[in-house]
Amino acid sequence: MLRLGRREFEAHEPVIMAIVNRTPDSFYDQGATFRDEPALARVEQAVSEGAAIIDIGGVKAGPGEEVTAEEEARRTVDFVAEVRRRFPDVIISVDTWRHEVGEAVCEVGADLLNDAWGGVDPRLAEVAGRYGVGLVCTHAGETQPRTRPHRIAYDDVMADILRVTVGLAERAVSVGVARESVLIDPGHDFGKNTRHSLEATRRLGEMVDTGWPVLVSLSNKDFVGETLDRPVKERVVGTLATTAVSAWLGAQVYRVHEVAETRQVLDMVASIAGHRPPAVARRGLA
């Protein structure tokens, strides 16, 4: 059982986390949801298309202009409060590695802290425990926030992913985070080259076998672009293919830009796996 906010999800129930970037320089949408009204419209659309979680981020993941904790909070805190007011049942996640920002967003209604940088600030898990919210524990290859990997190497990339994420998850529980509210994420592209991310996908079942719910953030990432030699705006098909494989291997939460398309992929895989009946079944019966 995965429990986030007011919601509970069974083991085979796929969950969509829609990305809403409060940044002027995001790699995919180039600041389309930096202002409040477009961002709120994005939330409304994502919820209507089947997203259970809204993931709000105030800092671009890649290199760029410095964003202080104060500026990150300015971009996210009031917005979280407004989303909480307008959508009382949606699960609100905030993508941050800073405990100061985590505390501020929890004060106004966040349900989940998405730590994409592998516990670089250990106090973030303590904030999650103190406020009774969930935590995403990610493998980032010990890279620092907003840096790109350079000639990074692993003897066994999945062994390192398991060591780090399970260790972070167990620590989170030790500081008060509910076990059923902790997720682990292999961290595609974070501290990895394309071959590492492909191997992490291929071996995703090993993460699922740990018993911790697995979140994957695949959407339009560089490993998809390099694998298919496609620019950012032409990576949707590759993303959806990777989503289908991840779903078949047992990942539960999917952080995405394209909600409606992802919903169809996840429903199709769930039906093939026998976890979901067809929406209609008339063929050969009329």
Side-chain angles (χ1 to χ4, degrees):
M1 177 72 70
L2 172 63
R3 182 176 293 114
L4 299 172
R6 301 181 182 183
R7 301 283 302 276
E8 293 183 350
F9 304 94
E10 299 295 336
H12 293 297
E13 185 175 357
V15 183
I16 295 178
M17 169 190 274
I19 299 166
V20 179
N21 289 316
R22 304 308 315 283
T23 60
D25 54 355
S26 51
F27 89 100
Y28 186 65
D29 61 31
Q30 299 298 304
T33 54
F34 185 47
R35 294 186 298 110
D36 286 352
E37 286 311 312
L40 288 166
R42 161 69 175 162
V43 173
E44 184 171 9
Q45 177 186 8
V47 171
S48 71
E49 291 177 346
I53 308 171
I54 301 297
D55 190 49
I56 299 164
V59 185
K60 176 184 177 181
E65 290 188 14
E66 180 185 1
V67 180
T68 64
E70 293 75 17
E71 173 62 16
E72 183 183 357
R74 188 190 69 79
R75 295 176 179 183
T76 56
V77 175
D78 289 346
F79 185 73
V80 168
E82 183 62 14
V83 173
R84 179 81 295 147
R85 185 184 72 82
R86 295 195 189 192
F87 304 90
D89 295 324
V90 78
I91 300 162
I92 299 176
S93 169
V94 176
D95 182 350
T96 186
W97 74 88
R98 292 166 165 149
H99 76 273
E100 307 97 320
V101 176
E103 187 149 14
V105 296
C106 286
E107 282 284 349
V108 296
D111 302 300
L112 177 66
L113 297 176
N114 181 11
D115 180 9
W117 290 103
V120 68
D121 181 350
R123 294 173 67 182
L124 188 65
E126 296 166 13
V127 169
R130 190 161 65 251
Y131 281 89
V133 304
L135 183 70
V136 179
C137 300
T138 308
H139 180 272
E142 299 182 359
T143 52
Q144 290 300 302
R146 307 195 69 196
T147 62
R148 299 191 188 281
H150 177 67
R151 299 192 177 185
I152 195 162
Y154 301 94
D155 291 334
D156 183 328
V157 67
M158 182 50 73
D160 203 70
I161 289 170
L162 293 173
R163 176 184 64 81
V164 170
T165 58
V166 171
L168 290 170
E170 290 174 344
R171 179 182 180 269
V173 172
S174 76
V175 297
V177 184
R179 186 178 182 88
E180 63 269 23
S181 301
V182 177
L183 303 102
I184 59 175
D185 178 353
H188 289 81
D189 275 0
F190 281 60
K192 299 170 189 66
N193 61 33
T194 289
R195 288 184 174 86
H196 293 144
S197 292
L198 292 171
E199 182 171 352
T201 306
R202 186 163 60 249
R203 297 174 62 186
L204 201 64
E206 294 175 45
M207 294 191 76
V208 174
D209 288 344
T210 66
W212 298 97
V214 175
L215 179 150
V216 287
S217 183
L218 311 167
S219 197
N220 303 295
K221 283 194 167 179
D222 284 349
F223 83 96
V224 175
E226 287 193 356
T227 299
L228 301 177
D229 193 17
R230 289 290 183 269
V232 169
K233 295 297 183 180
E234 297 178 17
R235 298 176 183 176
V236 175
V237 173
T239 296
L240 295 176
T242 314
T243 298
V245 170
S246 299
W248 187 257
L249 293 174
Q252 185 163 18
V253 180
Y254 301 80
R255 183 177 180 272
V256 305
H257 296 98
E258 286 82 20
V259 174
E261 294 87 343
T262 302
R263 180 78 271 162
Q264 289 188 52
V265 169
L266 295 178
D267 285 350
M268 193 70 200
V269 173
S271 295
I272 294 169
H275 304 311
R276 171 189 178 272
V280 295
R282 293 187 292 264
R283 181 174 175 81
L285 301 177

